[in-house]
Amino acid sequence: MDRESKDGGTGTPDTDGLAWELLDSAIDYSCPGFDVRRDDVRLPDGTETDYHYVDEPPAVVVLPFVAGREKEREEGEELVVIEEWRQAVGRVSRGLPAGTTEPDDDDLADAARRELTEETGYEAGTVEPLLSSEPINGVANAVHHYFVARDCTPTGEQELDFNESIRVSTAPYDDLLAQALDGSVRDGRTLLGVFAYELHGRGE
């Protein structure tokens, strides 16, 4: 039943009797990228039951701005974007580079640099945190850490996992924002990253 917290975030103590008591925990199924975990729990009313969810490492999501194309707002910034086949929805998804962390990743910014290079062949000059989120915490313990990377330059080849099919290009930031707003881009990680940058990070 030993289970280490993987979110790297902060929690709040239960003060109103909502917490479930963890009785046991085990992995029911494993596959590349994530596990399906079963928790045996006792609910606040005393009912004992089980609860299944996706158990996966934290991930990093990168907004990579191309070196030499980070100009004043009216002239437009340019991002490195990817197109990736997503089997779960049966189509190509357009959006931001992202990847899972490794067990020995002590520095999330370094993990963001690595994942950017592996997926796109670009290297970042600087990397700064933007926000962290729990995108689907009803069915998964996933935590996504967002970073803004600047002065990104193409320096090498992609180093993709065996089950990744990714095409790399660049696009004006304003175009990606417009596509996020009109529904053309539907990738949740990309939507949150672009909207958070637009609200909090742009121009800083």
Side-chain angles (χ1 to χ4, degrees), residues 64-161:
F65 289 94
V66 180
R69 303 180 199 175
E70 301 175 59
K71 306 174 184 177
E72 296 300 324
R73 178 170 183 138
E74 59 269 16
E75 296 181 38
E77 300 173 299
E78 193 154 336
L79 283 169
V80 181
V81 297
I82 63 171
E83 293 179 328
E84 182 173 9
W85 179 257
R86 291 300 192 186
Q87 182 64 25
V89 292
R91 58 178 169 78
V92 172
S93 178
R94 188 166 191 254
L96 299 172
T100 56
T101 61
E102 302 294 339
D104 59 351
D105 279 334
D106 296 324
D107 189 318
L108 290 171
D110 286 345
R113 288 178 180 275
R114 181 191 65 237
E115 293 300 321
L116 172 65
T117 300
E118 288 181 355
E119 287 203 349
T120 70
Y122 279 74
E123 290 189 6
T126 63
V127 175
E128 297 292 337
L130 180 61
L131 82 159
S132 297
S133 75
E134 298 172 356
I136 46 173
N137 59 16
V139 296
N141 64 0
V143 181
H144 295 167
H145 301 283
Y146 289 75
F147 291 86
V148 176
R150 297 195 179 277
D151 296 322
C152 296
T153 56
T155 59
E157 298 293 327
Q158 295 167 284
E159 296 181 19
L160 300 178
D161 293 336

Side-chain angles (χ1 to χ4, degrees), residues 19 43 47 64 109 111 120 144 158 166 179:
L43 306 183
T47 301
T120 70
H144 295 167
Q158 295 167 284
I166 295 176
Q179 292 169 347

Side-chain angles (χ1 to χ4, degrees), residues 4 12 50-51 58 81 98 110 118 174 178 181 184 190:
E4 181 181 354
T12 55
D50 58 21
Y51 189 85
V81 297
D110 286 345
E118 288 181 355
D174 284 331
L181 289 169
S184 300
T190 298

Side-chain angles (χ1 to χ4, degrees), residues 17-98:
L18 292 177
W20 297 0
E21 180 185 355
L22 181 63
L23 305 175
D24 197 8
S25 185
I27 301 298
D28 274 0
Y29 175 76
S30 293
C31 65
F34 65 88
D35 300 322
V36 176
R37 181 177 288 277
R38 185 197 72 254
D39 282 356
D40 295 324
V41 297
R42 182 179 292 116
L43 306 183
D45 67 0
T47 301
E48 293 187 7
T49 186
D50 58 21
Y51 189 85
H52 288 79
Y53 59 93
V54 174
D55 184 357
E56 63 182 13
V60 290
V61 186
V62 187
L63 285 84
F65 289 94
V66 180
R69 303 180 199 175
E70 301 175 59
K71 306 174 184 177
E72 296 300 324
R73 178 170 183 138
E74 59 269 16
E75 296 181 38
E77 300 173 299
E78 193 154 336
L79 283 169
V80 181
V81 297
I82 63 171
E83 293 179 328
E84 182 173 9
W85 179 257
R86 291 300 192 186
Q87 182 64 25
V89 292
R91 58 178 169 78
V92 172
S93 178
R94 188 166 191 254
L96 299 172

